[in-house]
Amino acid sequence: MKSLLALLALAASCSAQNMADVVKQGEQVFAKTCATGYCHGVKGASSGAPRLAGRGFDQSYIAPVVARGVPDTGMASFATRLLRPELIAVVAYVATLNGVTKPT
């Protein structure tokens, strides 16, 4: 939990302009790691795994799910698979898919 709070705090320190770059990076990482195969599909629209777009998820929900995964499902932990900046970027991107206009 401590590392997740640090992750959210680090993301919050990004400026608005920089955050646009972070979200773009998150979209690119998502496309390579989360949108392929049985995963969440392009823009989180789903291609087998649960749809991510438009679910009302906020970053306090998204961050631990991405970092820890969901036990007994196909949702793996990405805490050790992605670099910290990539993890922050994916969380910010998925937040935008859920209507968060200013991810932190």
Side-chain angles (χ1 to χ4, degrees):
M1 184 63 153
K2 188 186 243 185
S3 64
L4 293 174
L5 293 175
L7 177 71
L8 290 174
L10 181 60
S13 69
C14 296
S15 70
Q17 182 180 4
N18 190 27
M19 186 51 69
D21 294 336
V22 170
V23 170
K24 183 174 177 117
Q25 178 190 14
E27 182 177 14
Q28 293 167 347
V29 173
F30 184 93
K32 290 187 268 183
T33 60
C34 310
T36 60
Y38 177 74
C39 294
H40 298 289
V42 175
K43 298 190 183 209
S46 186
S47 63
R51 174 179 55 86
L52 297 180
R55 301 275 307 267
F57 298 146
D58 63 17
Q59 288 174 269
S60 65
Y61 175 80
I62 298 164
V65 171
V66 174
R68 295 184 191 145
V70 178
D72 302 320
T73 71
M75 179 60 194
S77 166
F78 283 90
T80 59
R81 295 177 186 206
L82 295 176
L83 299 173
R84 179 166 278 203
E86 294 173 324
L87 194 62
I88 291 167
V90 167
V91 170
Y93 173 67
V94 174
T96 67
L97 296 178
N98 282 277
V100 176
T101 57
K102 296 181 181 178
T104 56

